[in-house]
Amino acid sequence: MVVSPLHGFIVDHLLSIFLALVNCPSIKMVGPAPFVDMGKKAKDLLTKDYNFDQKFTLSMLSSTGMGLTATGLKKDQIFFGDINTVYKSGNTTVDVKVDTYSNVSTKVTVNDAWPCSKAALSFRIPDHKSGKLDVQYLHPHAAIDSSIGLNPTPLLELSATIGSNELYLGGEVGFDTASASFTKYTAGINLNKPDFSAALLLTDKGQALKASYIHSVNPFTCVAAEMAHRFSTYENTFTIGSSHAVDPLSVVKTRFSDNGKAAMLCQREWRPKSLVTFSAEYDLKAANASPKMGLALALKP
């Protein structure tokens, strides 16, 4: 039997694809992000690290893979706190959190349980119906996330994206077996470029359209905007913001929303991996209201 050069090329190409699918942990993943990360860059600029209460976080990591994080939050006159312990061994991570109300949250994550995948089992004590299994599969051209509740009438969720890291589209759906109804279905498309990222999502079971955009003006300054339109009420909302690196250790962020609220954030890395953050928000439509202010201190010895 004579094998033609074209036949040999096709066989080699199919073999390379098969090896990529089976052994993809060795491949640099440049595929689409999970659906939950669609529009995340703009959302993080507009919301991340803003805090209008008093918050303290202390994190410690040992050489054995054990990490301990203690968090305290004072909101109005009420104090909340939790202690979070993380232990890593090989591909397995065990995360246990205990809060001030004696609730215990546990999450066990196994990376590369099979090629290109990650599985996580989580549950809360004393809520015996809180068990949940999450499975994620990443591929150079697709990302799939699934979740199932570990109880007699579980909540099922599935999301997927296809495309490339530069341009991808996807959707998510949630189904409640107890009521035999869909809890959510969302679709979206995301475009990434070196200096900007844009996302368009159809949310709230098709009742709202949300668009987000983030642009890197220069290595020190970024601007972002998020707009939403609700079809039933013809209501439009928007939020715009910016982030500017004053120096390698200091960041200033601003935010303004259509509801008349303006916010500002100043963050300083006063020692390696230790941050102090000051946030303030003022409601321009409530002239008699005092501005909200918050201070967060994160220590990593």
Side-chain angles (χ1 to χ4, degrees):
M1 180 178 178
V2 179
V3 179
S4 66
L6 179 60
H7 181 269
F9 172 78
I10 294 175
V11 172
D12 291 342
H13 186 63
L14 292 177
L15 181 60
S16 64
I17 294 176
F18 174 77
L19 291 175
L21 290 173
V22 174
N23 194 34
C24 67
S26 63
I27 299 175
K28 184 179 179 181
M29 297 302 294
V30 292
F35 185 82
V36 68
D37 291 339
M38 191 172 289
K40 185 175 182 296
K41 294 180 181 179
K43 185 176 181 180
D44 282 350
L45 188 148
L46 296 172
T47 61
K48 187 177 180 180
D49 295 328
Y50 279 97
N51 171 62
F52 306 112
D53 301 293
Q54 286 74 51
K55 184 177 181 181
F56 174 80
T57 304
L58 174 64
S59 301
M60 294 179 290
L61 180 64
S62 68
S63 58
T64 60
M66 177 74 74
L68 179 66
T69 301
T71 302
L73 175 67
K74 183 180 180 183
K75 187 176 181 68
D76 297 328
Q77 300 300 320
I78 303 176
F79 179 81
F80 305 91
D82 61 66
I83 297 178
N84 186 26
T85 303
V86 178
Y87 178 72
K88 295 182 180 180
S89 177
N91 294 334
T92 304
T93 302
V94 180
D95 189 328
V96 180
K97 179 186 290 186
V98 182
D99 63 19
T100 50
Y101 297 101
S102 299
N103 296 313
V104 181
S105 302
T106 303
K107 184 175 183 179
V108 181
T109 305
V110 180
N111 293 303
D112 297 330
W114 54 88
C116 308
S117 69
K118 180 174 69 173
L121 174 66
S122 60
F123 56 91
R124 294 191 304 272
I125 299 174
D127 186 0
H128 65 280
K129 294 184 179 180
S130 61
K132 186 173 66 169
L133 176 64
D134 298 293
V135 178
Q136 182 183 76
Y137 174 77
L138 298 177
H139 181 267
H141 300 293
I144 301 174
D145 286 274
S146 61
S147 174
I148 179 172
L150 302 180
N151 55 70
T153 54
L155 176 64
L156 308 176
E157 295 183 348
L158 177 66
S159 66
T161 57
I162 58 173
S164 64
N165 181 261
E166 183 175 289
L167 177 64
Y168 60 93
L169 55 90
E172 66 174 351
V173 62
F175 184 77
D176 187 357
T177 58
S179 59
S181 62
F182 287 98
T183 59
K184 63 179 177 181
Y185 39 87
T186 309
I189 184 171
N190 199 107
L191 174 64
N192 290 322
K193 289 292 184 179
D195 59 340
F196 75 88
S197 178
L200 184 66
L201 295 102
L202 188 64
T203 65
D204 293 343
K205 299 181 180 180
Q207 297 300 310
L209 186 66
K210 180 186 293 184
S212 63
Y213 179 81
I214 181 170
H215 184 83
S216 178
V217 180
N218 55 53
F220 310 102
T221 304
C222 290
V223 294
E226 188 175 79
M227 294 160 283
H229 173 76
R230 183 163 293 277
F231 297 111
S232 58
T233 60
Y234 300 100
E235 180 185 3
N236 296 309
T237 59
F238 72 87
T239 303
I240 58 175
S242 66
S243 174
H244 179 70
V246 181
D247 56 53
L249 302 177
S250 303
V251 175
V252 176
K253 296 171 64 175
T254 59
R255 183 180 69 191
F256 180 77
S257 302
D258 66 292
N259 57 9
K261 293 183 179 180
M264 181 195 72
L265 176 152
C266 297
Q267 188 175 77
R268 172 76 177 179
E269 186 178 5
W270 58 281
R271 57 175 295 173
K273 298 182 180 180
S274 294
L275 304 172
V276 57
T277 306
F278 172 76
S279 306
E281 184 182 60
Y282 181 67
D283 191 347
L284 301 175
K285 294 183 178 180
N288 297 327
S290 58
K292 296 180 180 179
M293 295 186 182
L295 181 66
L297 181 64
L299 299 179
K300 291 186 179 181

